[in-house]
Amino acid sequence: RVRRLFRRPYRGDLIKIATLYHDEPFLLTPNHEVLCGRKGETGIQWKRADQLTTRDFVLLPRMRVVKDLATLHLADILPGCVTHDGAVRRAKVQRPLPDPVPVDGELLRLAGYYVAEGSIAAKGHSVQWSFSKAQEAYADDVLNILKHLFGLVGRKYWINNLCEVRVGSVLLADLMRAWFGRTASGKRLPDWMLYLPDRKLKELLKGFWRGDGNTDRTTFRFYTTSEVLAYQLRLVLTRLGLFSSL
C-alpha cells in the first residue's frame, strides 16, 4: 500500500533506461542509484543512473512474502449476505454457497480458468467458461471444481467447436466479479492471491495456461487484454523464479 507521496521540484537532465525485456523505459535523475549487476562479473552493486552501460543488468524485485490462507469467508466478500448453518445466503437468492471455502489448488486453478476464459452473463445470474473442442477435459475440470467447492451443478453447451460451461448462481457471479473484475480488459487478481505459497500459485498458472497460453520451441506465452492482470502475472512468475517480458 502506498502510504505517502513526495514531490520535489527538479530542473535538469533525465536518464531514460530501456531494458531488453521491458517495453516501458523509465526516467531517472542522473544521481538516482540503481541496483545492478554486470555481464561476465559476479556480485551486484548500486550504481548511479548516468553511469549505467549496456553491459549492466538492472535487477527486478522479487516478492518473498508468503501469506497463506486455509479458508475464506464469503460473507465478508459478498454484500448483503449472512452465514447460517455453513452456508452464505442473501435474501431472495435461492442458491446459497458453502461458507467458508477452502483456499486450495482447486480454487486457484478455477481462478486461473476464470481470468483466462471466464465471464458473467449479461444479467449477472450465471458464470460461464469457454473452451475449444480440444479443451473439453478442462471444461470437465471446471465442472468438477464447481461441484466439489461450491456444490453447484453446471452444464456443458456445444456451439460449433466451442465447449461452454455454464452455471447459474447469482452469488458465484458476484464473487467472481468481486475477485476478478467486471470486464475482460479489467480483469485482475485479488491482492491476497499474490502472496499465497508457490504450490498454490502454480495451480493458478496451470488454469491460466490451459485457458490462454501457448508455446513454441523456446517460449511460453500467456495472453490477456488486461494490463493490470499482465503485470500481476509477471509478479507471480518472478515470485516462482521465472523471468518474463511483456
Side-chain angles (χ1 to χ4, degrees):
R1 177 181 297 180
V2 177
R3 298 187 180 277
R4 294 185 64 186
L5 292 175
F6 297 90
R7 298 180 183 273
R8 297 185 178 89
Y10 174 77
R11 293 189 178 213
D13 294 334
L14 291 174
I15 305 296
K16 181 186 287 187
I17 308 295
T19 59
L20 184 60
Y21 294 104
H22 243 290
D23 291 338
E24 314 84 9
F26 49 96
L27 298 174
L28 301 173
T29 55
N31 64 345
H32 190 106
E33 291 192 335
V34 178
L35 188 61
C36 63
R38 173 155 286 199
K39 186 176 182 180
E41 300 179 6
T42 59
I44 58 176
Q45 62 179 318
W46 291 97
K47 185 180 287 189
R48 286 171 52 111
D50 59 0
Q51 295 175 350
L52 292 172
T53 73
T54 54
R55 291 184 59 200
D56 292 313
F57 290 89
V58 176
L59 303 185
L60 293 175
R62 182 177 178 182
M63 293 175 59
R64 299 283 188 178
V65 177
V66 176
K67 298 179 182 179
D68 196 9
L69 293 173
T71 59
L72 278 173
H73 290 276
L74 302 188
D76 296 334
I77 303 166
L78 298 171
C81 289
V82 295
T83 299
H84 181 68
D85 290 338
V88 64
R89 305 171 186 273
R90 182 188 294 156
K92 299 182 180 180
V93 175
Q94 294 183 346
R95 294 186 181 183
L97 295 179
D99 195 26
V101 294
V103 181
D104 58 11
E106 285 192 328
L107 182 66
L108 270 292
R109 198 162 66 254
L110 184 69
Y113 285 133
Y114 185 81
V115 293
E117 300 287 6
S119 61
I120 299 171
K123 294 183 179 181
H125 296 164
S126 64
V127 185
Q128 55 201 33
W129 289 259
S130 301
F131 298 96
S132 69
K133 183 178 181 180
Q135 296 175 320
E136 185 179 3
Y138 305 154
D140 291 335
D141 192 26
V142 169
L143 289 172
N144 290 334
I145 295 172
L146 290 173
K147 178 64 175 177
H148 184 229
L149 289 187
F150 297 103
L152 297 173
V153 177
R155 293 183 60 187
K156 287 188 294 187
Y157 295 86
W158 289 95
I159 306 170
N160 298 322
N161 288 326
L162 181 70
C163 180
E164 190 169 272
V165 172
R166 300 178 191 171
V167 59
S169 172
V170 173
L171 294 183
L172 184 66
D174 288 350
L175 184 63
M176 294 296 104
R177 188 183 296 110
W179 277 347
F180 307 116
R182 294 176 175 272
T183 63
S185 61
K187 280 184 177 177
R188 51 172 169 69
L189 299 173
D191 290 343
W192 57 265
M193 199 170 282
L194 301 175
Y195 294 94
L196 294 174
D198 291 0
R199 69 182 187 280
K200 295 183 180 180
L201 292 179
K202 289 176 182 178
E203 291 299 312
L204 170 70
L205 290 179
K206 181 186 291 185
F208 198 139
W209 168 258
R210 288 175 171 180
D212 263 336
N214 69 22
T215 184
D216 56 27
R217 295 179 61 184
T218 60
T219 307
F220 292 86
R221 298 183 180 90
F222 296 86
Y223 296 91
T224 178
T225 59
S226 168
E227 184 176 1
V228 171
L229 182 59
Y231 278 102
Q232 289 179 318
L233 179 60
R234 168 180 271 184
L235 285 175
V236 172
L237 289 169
T238 303
R239 163 80 174 276
L240 296 174
L242 301 171
F243 190 75
S244 62
S245 62
L246 296 178

